[in-house]
């Protein structure tokens, strides 16, 4: 996955994001450039207060097991989050094993030029999530990724898109970058790091932590209005 910035060279394909903001927001106009089919921009759904923290350079990471143990009615619940394999037995039971290593993750979504062409920046299912009523659109996505990687430079780390698989079939050699295709509508990009003896919190039982990074340009707006603010730039 290649990420873009608003400040790049001559675009191979472009789009314009125009948002006539209300309720205290300003008028927003931004030209988006996509170099190829694999280039994208990052977005984050959530509550406004939390998204403001990210925009100011403070990113929350959660321990991987939080997502499989969270309340089922929440958007982030995934029974099979962080499993190493899944096997369907003859008696109808499902056998699986979880990754034992302590891992912290922070999740985003992304969109490509094809999503704009298809007028489907994100799935309508997103709008049903009560705590995803706002969206953070990160203009300088590549710089954002690099800044987070730099902030985690003392730790083993990784970042990538999620590969969605059919968990109704047996699956082996799964990693933290695999999920059931039941969640494919999220189009998730994930930052991951592995804590060590230099971890910057004292309580080992702590499952949520903040990472400070150099902030980049981005805007927060209502999720319901975001998808309708794009138009294609014809070269």
């Amino acid at each position: 996955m290649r990420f873009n910035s608003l400040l790049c060279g001559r675009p191979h394909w472009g789009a314009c994001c125009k948002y006539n903001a209300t309720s205290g927001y300003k008028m927003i106009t931004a030209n988006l450039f996509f170099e190829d089919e694999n280039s994208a921009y990052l977005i984050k759904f959530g509550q406004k207060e939390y998204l403001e923290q990210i925009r100011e350079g403070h990113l929350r990471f959660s321990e991987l097991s939080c997502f499989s143990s969270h309340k089922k009615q929440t958007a982030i619940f995934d029974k099979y989050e962080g499993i190493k394999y899944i096997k369907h037995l003859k008696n109808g039971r499902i056998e699986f094993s979880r990754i034992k290593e302590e891992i912290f993750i922070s999740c985003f979504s992304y969109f490509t030029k094809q999503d704009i062409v298809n007028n489907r920046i994100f799935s309508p299912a997103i709008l049903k999530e009560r705590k995803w009523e706002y969206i953070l659109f990160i203009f300088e996505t590549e710089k954002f990724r690099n800044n987070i990687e730099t902030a985690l430079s003392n730790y083993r780390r990784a970042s990538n898109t999620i590969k969605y698989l059919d968990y109704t079939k047996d699956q082996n050699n799964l990693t933290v970058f695999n999920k059931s295709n039941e969640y494919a509508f999220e189009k998730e990009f994930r930052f991951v790091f592995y804590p060590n003896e230099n971890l910057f919190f004292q309580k080992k039982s702590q499952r949520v932590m903040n990472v400070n990074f150099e902030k980049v340009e981005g805007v927060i707006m209502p999720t319901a209005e975001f998808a309708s603010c794009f138009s294609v730039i014809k070269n």
Side-chain angles (χ1 to χ4, degrees), residues 44 50 53-54 57-64 66-67 103-108 144-145 147-149 151-152 155-159 190-195 199-201 206-213:
K44 174 77 173 178
Y50 173 46
Q53 293 176 19
I54 299 175
H58 313 291
L59 182 60
R60 183 172 64 185
F61 281 74
S62 298
E63 210 279 322
L64 183 63
C66 289
F67 296 87
I103 303 172
F104 283 81
I105 68 173
S106 188
C107 308
F108 289 76
F144 179 81
R145 180 185 189 179
N147 289 355
I148 293 176
E149 294 276 352
L152 296 172
Y155 304 93
R156 184 161 60 96
R157 62 202 182 279
S159 59
R190 176 173 288 188
F191 293 96
V192 173
F193 83 92
Y194 304 78
L199 190 59
F200 42 103
F201 64 80
Q206 188 172 351
R207 305 178 73 192
V208 177
M209 52 189 302
N210 293 316
V211 171
N212 298 324
F213 63 96

Side-chain angles (χ1 to χ4, degrees), residues 20-213:
N20 190 7
T22 58
S23 302
Y25 290 88
K26 298 179 180 179
M27 176 67 181
I28 300 164
T29 301
N31 292 324
L32 281 61
F33 301 138
F34 296 85
E35 295 183 8
D36 54 37
E37 299 291 338
N38 295 316
S39 60
Y41 285 88
L42 281 182
I43 51 179
K44 174 77 173 178
F45 303 103
Q47 296 172 299
K48 184 180 177 183
E49 295 81 1
Y50 173 46
L51 298 180
E52 289 282 7
Q53 293 176 19
I54 299 175
R55 190 169 63 170
E56 292 302 314
H58 313 291
L59 182 60
R60 183 172 64 185
F61 281 74
S62 298
E63 210 279 322
L64 183 63
S65 62
C66 289
F67 296 87
S68 59
S69 60
H70 214 277
K71 294 180 180 179
K72 292 186 178 181
Q73 65 268 29
T74 61
I76 68 171
F77 174 77
D78 180 1
K79 177 181 179 180
Y80 299 116
E81 179 69 86
I83 62 174
K84 296 188 293 185
Y85 72 88
I86 185 168
K87 184 176 182 180
H88 296 265
L89 306 179
K90 292 182 178 180
N91 60 6
R93 298 182 62 186
I94 299 176
E95 177 182 287
F96 60 88
S97 177
R98 297 195 186 280
I99 298 172
K100 301 296 183 182
E101 190 173 12
E102 190 175 30
I103 303 172
F104 283 81
I105 68 173
S106 188
C107 308
F108 289 76
S109 295
Y110 64 90
F111 68 92
T112 65
K113 73 173 188 179
Q114 195 60 47
D115 295 321
I116 296 177
V117 171
N118 294 340
N119 195 26
R120 192 180 174 88
I121 301 295
F122 53 79
S123 167
I126 297 293
L127 296 174
K128 298 178 182 179
E129 300 297 342
R130 183 174 56 86
K131 293 187 177 181
W132 289 356
E133 66 268 38
Y134 285 92
I135 188 170
L136 169 62
F137 175 24
I138 301 168
F139 293 155
E140 299 177 280
T141 292
E142 183 61 25
K143 184 177 180 181
F144 179 81
R145 180 185 189 179
N146 291 339
N147 289 355
I148 293 176
E149 294 276 352
T150 298
L152 296 172
S153 59
N154 291 329
Y155 304 93
R156 184 161 60 96
R157 62 202 182 279
S159 59
N160 211 336
T161 54
I162 292 294
K163 182 178 181 180
Y164 297 97
L165 301 172
D166 185 357
Y167 279 16
T168 64
K169 300 178 181 179
D170 292 355
Q171 300 287 352
N172 297 300
N173 302 315
L174 300 175
T175 74
V176 69
F177 293 106
N178 291 129
K179 291 184 71 171
S180 166
N181 57 15
E182 176 185 356
Y183 297 92
F185 72 94
E186 296 178 352
K187 296 176 63 179
E188 183 180 334
F189 182 90
R190 176 173 288 188
F191 293 96
V192 173
F193 83 92
Y194 304 78
N196 56 31
E197 65 277 7
N198 297 320
L199 190 59
F200 42 103
F201 64 80
Q202 296 180 349
K203 294 182 179 179
K204 194 164 182 62
S205 60
Q206 188 172 351
R207 305 178 73 192
V208 177
M209 52 189 302
N210 293 316
V211 171
N212 298 324
F213 63 96

